[in-house]
Amino acid sequence: MSPDQPPSCIFCKIASGELESDIVYSDDQCVAFRDLNPQAPVHVLLVPRKHIENLNGLTPDDRGLVGALVSAAPMVAAQLGLAVDGYRVVANVGRFGGQSVDHLHLHILGGRPMRWPPG
Ligand code: AMP
């Protein structure tokens, strides 16, 4: 466990394999797994292996990680058959953003038309 990793972080545990999940993509920096409470026919969470609370916790040292995370999103979406019709990528930040798990994650949602503005 890295020193920055809170022992109770469920997404750290999923990324390390300690907690079971339905993993759909994995590389040396990121893991994607199906959301337990899907809000669309396809709903996957893409997380960095490194524990970062949310977008506010990024530093210039994380630029490579951000590149890996963001460029993994369309790969995961394509793998799940979302590329042609499109999909939505969302990062909730903090209380007003609706964040409930304090480990940076991108929601990848697809399989139905998305509404705008979001709630
Ligand atoms: P957010 O509200 O943006 O922090 O998103 C957290 C997401 O994590 C929610 O959509 C939850 O349904 C999802 N979630 C929480 N625990 C798990 C878990 N063990 N496996 C998969 N998804 C989870």
Side-chain angles (χ1 to χ4, degrees):
M1 189 189 298
S2 110
D4 301 332
Q5 178 178 328
S8 60
C9 177
I10 51 173
F11 288 179
C12 284
K13 288 182 179 170
I14 288 173
S16 69
E18 189 185 333
L19 196 65
E20 205 176 319
S21 68
D22 188 354
I23 290 181
V24 298
Y25 174 86
S26 173
D27 65 28
D28 58 332
Q29 302 211 68
C30 315
V31 176
F33 51 92
R34 292 191 192 273
D35 196 295
L36 267 188
N37 183 23
Q39 302 301 311
V42 179
H43 186 176
V44 160
L45 302 171
L46 175 61
V47 311
R49 292 182 181 277
K50 178 182 173 185
H51 183 84
I52 298 171
E53 190 170 325
N54 59 36
L55 290 176
N56 290 338
L58 292 169
T59 73
D61 286 346
D62 296 317
R63 281 181 185 145
L65 181 152
V66 171
L69 190 72
V70 172
S71 59
M75 288 196 274
V76 173
Q79 183 190 313
L80 296 172
L82 304 178
V84 172
D85 286 332
Y87 53 94
R88 182 167 291 172
V89 178
V90 175
N92 294 328
V93 180
R95 188 163 62 95
F96 276 17
Q99 184 176 6
S100 61
V101 176
D102 290 337
H103 180 125
L104 176 62
H105 50 283
L106 300 180
H107 294 258
I108 300 173
L109 299 131
R112 65 165 170 82
M114 298 293 147
R115 290 177 291 274
W116 193 264

